[in-house]
Amino acid sequence: MELLNVLHFPDNRLRKKGKSIDIYDDNLNIIARNMLHTMYECKGIGLAAVQVNIQIRLIVIDVSEDRNEPLFLVNPVINSKEDKIIFEEGCLSVPGFYEPVERFNQITYSFHDLKGELHEANANGLLAVCIQHEIDHLDGKLFVDHISDIKRDRIAKKIKKQTSQGILSARKGVPYSI
Ligand code: QAP
Ligand code: CO
């Protein structure tokens, strides 16, 4: 297993969109496993491929207490959403910062699994918020886009400073194509 480099805001590569996946092969499985490993190592509950500089529509999530219920969502789509909720969000790409964001508390979503089979499911609360946050990543969007320009700029400045001081790792992501 491989630890992948997580890009940090305001890296422009976080603005790229993920490409729809149409090949369900070993390569996809390896990427998914490495993403899950990276997410667990970083104490995250969700990670999108775009965050590790891989531009495909793949998300890994685990919101379980024991961190043993991984979800792999390929080409996820939200089909319905209701009941707004304000949730204090963070992000592995925005380390150390948390801000309230308005989301939907109740969603139905569909996705393909790693074998290519189509599923539909419901989610609410933390899982629903996490799916919305991660699908945003696949469209080049970050939770800080939902907060004020002033706050977002301040966060960008602080992360850049920490990176320049070597507090955050600034390894270059490895380019990848599928
Ligand atoms: C997205 O975020 C999310 O700042 C996933 O120092 C967040 O896994 C969805 C993390 C909240 C719903 C609610 C952040 C780890 C992890 C940090 C994460 C940090 C270490 C964030
Ligand atoms: Co995130």
Coordinates of all heavy atoms in Angstrom, one line a residue, residues 45-47 59-63 89 125-135:
I45 N -12.4 11.3 7.3 CA -13.6 10.5 7.1 C -14.0 10.5 5.6 O -14.9 9.7 5.2 CB -14.8 11.1 7.9 CG1 -15.1 12.5 7.6 CG2 -14.5 10.9 9.4 CD1 -16.4 13.0 8.2
G46 N -13.3 11.3 4.8 CA -13.7 11.3 3.4 C -12.5 11.8 2.6 O -11.7 12.7 3.0
L47 N -12.3 11.2 1.4 CA -11.2 11.7 0.5 C -11.6 11.5 -1.0 O -12.1 10.4 -1.3 CB -9.9 10.9 0.8 CG -8.6 11.3 0.0 CD1 -8.1 12.7 0.4 CD2 -7.5 10.3 0.2
I59 N -14.4 8.5 -4.9 CA -14.4 9.0 -3.5 C -14.3 7.8 -2.5 O -14.9 6.7 -2.8 CB -15.8 9.7 -3.2 CG1 -15.9 11.0 -4.0 CG2 -16.1 9.9 -1.7 CD1 -17.3 11.6 -4.0
V60 N -13.6 7.9 -1.5 CA -13.6 7.0 -0.4 C -14.1 7.7 0.9 O -13.8 8.8 1.1 CB -12.3 6.3 -0.1 CG1 -11.8 5.6 -1.4 CG2 -11.2 7.3 0.4
I61 N -15.0 7.0 1.6 CA -15.6 7.5 2.9 C -15.6 6.5 3.9 O -15.8 5.3 3.6 CB -17.0 8.0 2.5 CG1 -17.0 9.3 1.6 CG2 -17.8 8.3 3.8 CD1 -18.4 9.7 1.2
D62 N -15.4 6.8 5.2 CA -15.7 6.0 6.3 C -16.1 6.8 7.5 O -15.2 7.4 8.1 CB -14.5 5.0 6.6 CG -14.9 3.9 7.6 OD1 -16.0 4.1 8.3 OD2 -14.2 2.9 7.7
V63 N -17.4 6.9 7.8 CA -17.8 7.7 8.9 C -18.1 6.8 10.1 O -18.6 7.3 11.1 CB -19.1 8.5 8.5 CG1 -18.8 9.5 7.5 CG2 -20.2 7.6 8.1
E89 N -17.6 22.0 9.0 CA -16.7 21.1 8.2 C -15.3 21.4 8.2 O -14.8 22.5 8.5 CB -17.2 21.2 6.7 CG -18.6 20.7 6.5 CD -19.0 20.6 5.0 OE1 -18.1 20.7 4.1 OE2 -20.2 20.6 4.7
G125 N -27.5 13.1 7.8 CA -26.5 13.5 8.8 C -25.1 13.6 8.3 O -24.9 14.0 7.1
L126 N -24.2 13.1 9.1 CA -22.7 13.2 8.7 C -22.4 12.6 7.4 O -21.7 13.1 6.6 CB -21.9 12.5 9.8 CG -20.4 12.5 9.6 CD1 -19.8 13.9 9.5 CD2 -19.7 11.7 10.7
L127 N -23.0 11.4 7.1 CA -22.7 10.7 5.8 C -23.2 11.5 4.6 O -22.5 11.7 3.7 CB -23.3 9.3 5.8 CG -23.1 8.5 4.5 CD1 -21.6 8.4 4.1 CD2 -23.8 7.2 4.5
A128 N -24.4 12.1 4.8 CA -25.0 12.9 3.7 C -24.1 14.1 3.4 O -23.8 14.5 2.3 CB -26.4 13.3 4.1
V129 N -23.7 14.8 4.5 CA -22.8 16.0 4.4 C -21.5 15.6 3.7 O -21.0 16.3 2.9 CB -22.6 16.6 5.8 CG1 -21.5 17.7 5.7 CG2 -23.9 17.2 6.3
C130 N -20.9 14.5 4.2 CA -19.6 14.0 3.7 C -19.7 13.7 2.2 O -18.8 14.1 1.4 CB -19.2 12.8 4.4 SG -17.4 12.4 4.2
I131 N -20.8 13.1 1.7 CA -21.0 12.8 0.3 C -21.0 14.1 -0.5 O -20.4 14.2 -1.6 CB -22.2 11.9 0.1 CG1 -21.9 10.5 0.6 CG2 -22.5 11.8 -1.4 CD1 -23.2 9.6 0.7
Q132 N -21.8 15.1 0.0 CA -21.9 16.4 -0.7 C -20.5 17.1 -0.8 O -20.1 17.6 -1.8 CB -22.9 17.3 0.0 CG -24.3 16.8 -0.1 CD -25.3 17.4 0.9 OE1 -25.7 18.5 0.7 NE2 -25.6 16.7 1.9
H133 N -19.8 17.0 0.3 CA -18.5 17.6 0.4 C -17.5 17.0 -0.6 O -16.8 17.7 -1.3 CB -17.9 17.5 1.8 CG -16.5 18.0 2.1 ND1 -16.2 19.0 2.9 CD2 -15.4 17.5 1.6 CE1 -14.9 19.2 2.9 NE2 -14.4 18.3 2.1
E134 N -17.6 15.7 -0.7 CA -16.6 14.9 -1.5 C -17.0 15.1 -3.0 O -16.1 15.2 -3.9 CB -16.5 13.5 -1.1 CG -16.1 13.2 0.3 CD -14.8 13.9 0.7 OE1 -13.9 14.1 -0.2 OE2 -14.6 14.2 1.8
I135 N -18.3 15.1 -3.3 CA -18.7 15.3 -4.7 C -18.3 16.7 -5.2 O -17.8 16.9 -6.3 CB -20.2 15.0 -4.9 CG1 -20.5 13.5 -4.8 CG2 -20.7 15.5 -6.3 CD1 -22.0 13.2 -4.9

